[in-house]
């Protein structure tokens, strides 16, 4: 009875130790994701972004009465809309540049230049006989709230659906939870009337596009979410070392704690392993057991972290999630190898005296 109780307590301690080590690795993975998010994540996933807002200079068409003051109310600005001529010019520009052009506003819709390249990138599939140009995210097609009898929002919008689109190809900061719907610019008949909207393009030659927007009375501020190089990362880190010092110390402490706990665990088994060795267990088997334990720990932590990270931040692109998961798994493997090496030295070191 005492032996069974000892075995069960030993098993419980082993399980608790594994869970603690897994928790440490997952916490380290969270640290990797924070570093990646602050320094290496691209908001627009390689797209050029034009933030578009009404021009408010002296020559602006909004210069007269552009601001409406009401006591107790926030400042309100008049809105301007893109004309049909401007939308057509933007679509023509995308055709000429063979670009995927996206215009995102706050009304849960994204206008896009219906180009061959755009169709390929968005993986458009024609699923109906309609020529309305309306494309839905694939998961919305099976949602009864959005789609009934081939109609999108049957109680209000009542658009016939032309096909499906893969919105995961759109930077998720702008596509949000993918409840958006797409409509080609060259078939759009409404007014895009927003105080601020975003134009995304994968073409670097967008000066003509900015000219079109400027002629419409808008100001377009362009930027590119470029990946930070490692040298730039070191420079940024040095410039902000004080603000990041507590986080970095915590991150390094977690890494060191993982190694120390793993090594201490195996070092505590040195006498038991020495006895097993005397009764025929080879050192090769001991090392093999240690390596197998390390690989199981690394593989389990990597798998759990990958499954967790898929749901942590919706605005991470597929490429960004892949980078974080690969980076975390590499750190896990490096720590596991170092811990296994030190544990092997600790457990196989001859007892003094």
């Amino acid at each position: 009875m005492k032996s069974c109780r000892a075995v069960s307590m030993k098993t419980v301690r082993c399980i608790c130790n594994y869970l603690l080590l897994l928790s440490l690795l997952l916490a380290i993975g969270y640290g990797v994701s924070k570093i990646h998010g602050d320094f290496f994540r691209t908001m627009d996933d390689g797209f050029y972004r034009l933030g578009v807002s009404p021009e408010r200079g002296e020559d602006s068409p909004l210069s007269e009465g552009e601001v409406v003051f009401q006591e107790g109310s926030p400042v309100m600005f008049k809105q301007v809309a893109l004309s049909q001529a401007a939308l057509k010019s933007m679509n023509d520009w995308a055709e000429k540049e063979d670009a995927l052009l996206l215009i995102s506003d706050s009304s849960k819709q994204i206008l896009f230049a219906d180009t061959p390249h755009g169709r390929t990138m968005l993986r458009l599939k024609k699923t109906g006989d309609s020529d309305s140009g309306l494309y839905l995210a694939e998961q919305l097609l099976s949602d009864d709230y959005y789609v009934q009898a081939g109609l999108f929002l049957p109680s209000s919008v009542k658009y016939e659906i032309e096909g499906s689109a893969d919105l995961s190809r759109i930077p998720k900061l702008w596509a949000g939870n993918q409840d958006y719907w797409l409509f080609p610019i060259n078939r759009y008949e409404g007014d895009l009337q927003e105080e601020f909207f975003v134009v995304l393009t994968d073409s670097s030659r967008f000066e003509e596009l900015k000219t079109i927007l400027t002629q419409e009375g808008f100001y377009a501020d362009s930027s590119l979410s470029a990946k930070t190089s490692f040298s730039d990362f070191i420079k940024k880190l040095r410039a902000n070392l004080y603000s990041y010092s507590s986080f970095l110390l915590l991150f390094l402490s977690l890494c060191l704690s993982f190694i120390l706990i793993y090594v201490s665990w195996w070092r505590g088994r040195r006498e038991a392993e020495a006895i097993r060795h005397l009764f025929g267990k080879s050192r090769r088997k001991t090392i093999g057991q240690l390596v197998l334990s390390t690989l199981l720990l690394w593989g389990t932590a990597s798998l759990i972290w990958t499954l967790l990270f898929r749901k942590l931040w919706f605005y991470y692109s597929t490429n960004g999630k892949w980078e974080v998961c690969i980076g975390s798994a590499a750190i896990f493997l490096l720590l596991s190898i170092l811990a296994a090496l030190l544990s092997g030295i600790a457990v196989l070191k001859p007892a003094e005296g």
Side-chain angles (χ1 to χ4, degrees):
M1 180 69 70
K2 186 178 292 185
S3 176
C4 290
R5 186 179 301 170
V7 170
S8 65
M9 287 302 296
K10 181 180 178 181
T11 303
V12 169
R13 283 197 298 269
C14 181
I15 292 173
C16 290
N17 203 73
Y18 259 103
L19 290 176
L20 177 59
L21 291 170
L22 277 174
S23 299
L24 284 173
L25 286 180
L26 295 180
I28 291 167
Y30 184 81
V32 172
S33 70
K34 291 292 291 181
I35 293 173
H36 183 275
D38 287 347
F39 292 98
F40 299 102
R41 181 173 66 87
T42 56
M43 286 178 59
D44 305 317
D45 206 17
F47 279 78
Y48 291 84
R49 170 168 31 104
L50 281 71
V52 183
S53 57
E55 183 68 68
R56 296 193 179 93
E58 290 183 0
D59 299 329
S60 168
L62 302 182
S63 58
E64 280 193 31
E66 68 171 316
V67 184
V68 179
F69 292 98
Q70 293 180 355
E71 190 173 349
S73 299
V75 176
M76 298 175 63
F77 295 93
K78 286 185 178 180
Q79 296 178 331
V80 291
L82 280 172
S83 67
Q84 290 299 308
L87 291 173
K88 183 180 184 304
S89 297
M90 293 170 73
N91 195 79
D92 291 344
W93 172 87
E95 288 277 3
K96 182 178 67 175
E97 287 292 326
D98 191 26
L100 174 58
L101 181 64
L102 301 163
I103 306 176
S104 176
D105 66 9
S106 61
S107 61
K108 290 282 185 183
Q109 63 180 325
I110 298 177
L111 305 181
F112 71 101
D114 194 3
T115 62
H117 174 59
R119 285 178 168 270
T120 300
M121 275 202 70
L122 296 173
R123 293 176 179 166
L124 298 188
K125 295 178 183 177
K126 194 171 178 65
T127 57
D129 298 327
S130 170
D131 288 324
S132 68
L134 177 64
Y135 289 88
L136 290 185
E138 293 171 358
Q139 62 266 36
L140 293 186
L141 287 174
S142 58
D143 192 325
D144 292 338
Y145 176 80
Y146 289 97
V147 179
Q148 291 180 20
L151 294 178
F152 175 61
L153 295 179
S155 60
S156 54
V157 176
K158 298 180 182 178
Y159 268 132
E160 292 185 18
I161 300 167
E162 182 169 346
S164 65
D166 182 3
L167 292 189
S168 66
R169 313 301 296 273
I170 298 175
K172 290 194 175 181
L173 187 65
W174 307 112
N177 59 5
Q178 298 195 24
D179 285 345
Y180 281 80
W181 47 288
L182 284 82
F183 207 95
I185 293 175
N186 57 356
R187 300 187 194 178
Y188 190 71
E189 297 177 354
D191 286 332
L192 181 68
Q193 192 167 345
E194 290 294 326
E195 174 64 22
F196 177 86
F197 56 89
V198 175
V199 177
L200 299 174
T201 173
D202 57 354
S203 171
S204 60
R205 299 183 294 272
F206 51 78
E207 287 305 315
E208 186 179 338
L209 180 62
K210 289 181 70 172
T211 301
I212 295 170
L213 292 164
T214 302
Q215 290 173 348
E216 285 287 300
F218 288 93
Y219 172 72
D221 181 27
S222 59
S223 62
L224 169 65
S225 286
K227 292 182 182 295
T228 303
S229 64
F230 187 75
S231 59
D232 288 338
F233 165 67
I234 296 298
K235 290 178 183 177
K236 287 184 181 180
L237 193 61
R238 288 174 59 186
N240 300 278
L241 189 58
Y242 180 78
S243 60
Y244 279 97
S245 58
S246 58
F247 172 78
L248 289 173
L249 284 174
L250 176 60
F251 181 76
L252 293 174
S253 298
L254 289 172
C255 295
L256 183 61
S257 297
F258 170 82
I259 294 174
L260 288 177
I261 291 173
Y262 195 84
V263 173
S264 299
W265 178 31
W266 276 92
R267 186 178 181 183
R269 298 172 58 179
R270 185 169 63 185
E271 291 184 1
E273 291 298 328
I275 293 173
R276 290 189 177 93
H277 179 61
L278 288 175
F279 283 89
K281 184 179 180 180
S282 66
R283 287 176 174 260
R284 183 180 299 175
K285 285 187 177 180
T286 301
I287 294 174
Q289 183 183 353
L290 189 150
V291 171
L292 179 62
S293 171
T294 304
L295 290 177
L296 285 173
L297 186 63
W298 166 74
T300 304
S302 299
L303 178 61
I304 293 175
W305 175 244
T306 300
L307 296 175
L308 280 176
F309 189 72
R310 288 180 60 191
K311 301 295 183 183
L312 279 180
W313 290 288
F314 76 89
Y315 51 78
Y316 258 91
S317 68
T318 302
N319 290 337
K321 288 183 177 180
W322 177 255
E323 288 175 2
V324 171
C325 289
I326 291 295
S328 298
I331 296 293
F332 295 169
L333 184 59
L334 180 64
L335 290 173
S336 298
I337 291 173
L338 184 58
L341 180 64
L342 294 175
S343 298
I345 294 173
V347 75
L348 298 174
K349 181 181 178 182
E352 296 179 1

